[in-house]
């Protein structure tokens, strides 16, 4: 009887060790879903500097920047509503990051400053999946978090074009229609396709 119990214990022990080894091997083969803080910072510091756009439209006219990076991330209402938190750290749910070319930066500025991009309603929620951040070296000078499902974006500085269409609510109050138009949404989707981001699929 003792030998039987010992055999069972040895078999269980062997099975447990083998199972843990398989789990470790599986973890090595499966890529990590989210980028770590150090990966995001290393990438930011390694990106080549670019020339500032000659645009005369606000707020980009006054921005001093030399890097622009787009991020794909899994936002969540009230929890991960921005690419960075109040303490300056990246949100822990970033899946991709790509620096924008000079041409892509010009496209982004054109999309963001075009009145035709905005003028529709928005949802009450905000679950963003994309951010575009302008940097001066490694310091953020402008950022926007985008939610196409909720149909709007939140920016660190006002973009005048977003406020061009307003509806009068009561006696003196006006509510801006900052939601994306079909055209504005399509342009953001097209950029996302170029970057192979969530909104491009």
């Amino acid at each position: 009887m003792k030998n039987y119990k010992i055999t069972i214990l040895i078999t269980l022990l062997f099975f447990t060790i083998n199972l843990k080894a398989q789990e470790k091997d599986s973890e090595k083969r499966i890529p990590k879903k989210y980028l770590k803080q150090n990966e995001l910072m290393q990438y930011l510091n390694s990106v080549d500097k670019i020339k500032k756009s000659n645009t005369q439209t606000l707020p980009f006219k006054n921005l001093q920047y030399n890097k622009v990076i787009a991020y794909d991330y899994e936002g969540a209402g009230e929890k991960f509503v921005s690419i960075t938190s109040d303490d300056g750290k990246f949100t822990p749910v970033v899946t991709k990051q790509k620096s924008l070319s000079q041409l892509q930066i010009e496209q982004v500025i054109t999309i963001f400053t075009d009145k035709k991009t905005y003028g529709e309603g928005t949802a009450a929620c905000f679950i963003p999946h994309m951010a575009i951040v302008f940097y001066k070296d490694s310091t953020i000078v402008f950022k926007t978090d985008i939610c196409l499902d909720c149909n709007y974006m939140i920016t660190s500085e006002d973009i005048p074009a977003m406020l061009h269409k307003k509806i009068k609510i009561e006696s003196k109050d006006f509510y801006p229609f900052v939601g994306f138009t079909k055209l504005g949404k399509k342009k953001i989707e097209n950029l996302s396709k170029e970057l192979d981001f969530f909104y491009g699929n």
Side-chain angles (χ1 to χ4, degrees), residues 25 37 41 44 71 91 109 123 133 145 159 183 190:
D25 187 50
Q37 292 292 320
M41 286 305 301
L44 170 58
Y71 298 93
T91 185
I109 291 173
V133 184
D145 297 283
I159 299 176
L183 178 64
N190 288 340

Side-chain angles (χ1 to χ4, degrees), residues 15-86:
F15 179 77
T16 304
I17 291 168
N18 191 37
L19 188 64
K20 285 184 178 178
Q22 285 178 359
E23 284 175 358
K24 283 184 181 179
D25 187 50
S26 178
E27 283 174 12
K28 286 177 186 175
R29 284 186 276 112
I30 298 170
K32 297 296 181 190
K33 189 174 185 182
Y34 301 124
L35 299 174
K36 295 177 182 176
Q37 292 292 320
N38 63 337
E39 291 177 284
L40 292 158
M41 286 305 301
Q42 283 171 8
Y43 185 79
L44 170 58
N45 293 326
S46 70
V47 168
D48 291 334
K49 293 178 182 179
I50 47 87
K51 290 181 182 178
K52 180 183 182 299
S53 169
N54 290 324
T55 184
Q56 295 303 302
T57 51
L58 294 171
F60 303 98
K61 175 184 177 181
N62 299 328
L63 286 183
Q64 297 302 315
Y65 62 88
N66 53 21
K67 297 177 184 181
V68 181
I69 300 176
Y71 298 93
D72 209 30
Y73 70 104
E74 295 181 0
E78 296 182 18
K79 193 172 184 183
F80 303 124
V81 293
S82 181
I83 189 63
T84 55
S85 55
D86 293 338

Side-chain angles (χ1 to χ4, degrees), residues 187-200:
K187 286 180 179 179
I188 293 170
E189 286 171 352
N190 288 340
L191 175 64
S192 296
K193 279 181 185 176
E194 282 183 37
L195 300 171
D196 191 29
F197 277 11
F198 176 80
Y199 285 138

Side-chain angles (χ1 to χ4, degrees), residues 9 23 97 103 114 122 144 173 187:
L9 284 171
E23 284 175 358
Q97 57 183 338
L103 179 60
D114 186 354
T122 64
T144 180
D173 294 329
K187 286 180 179 179

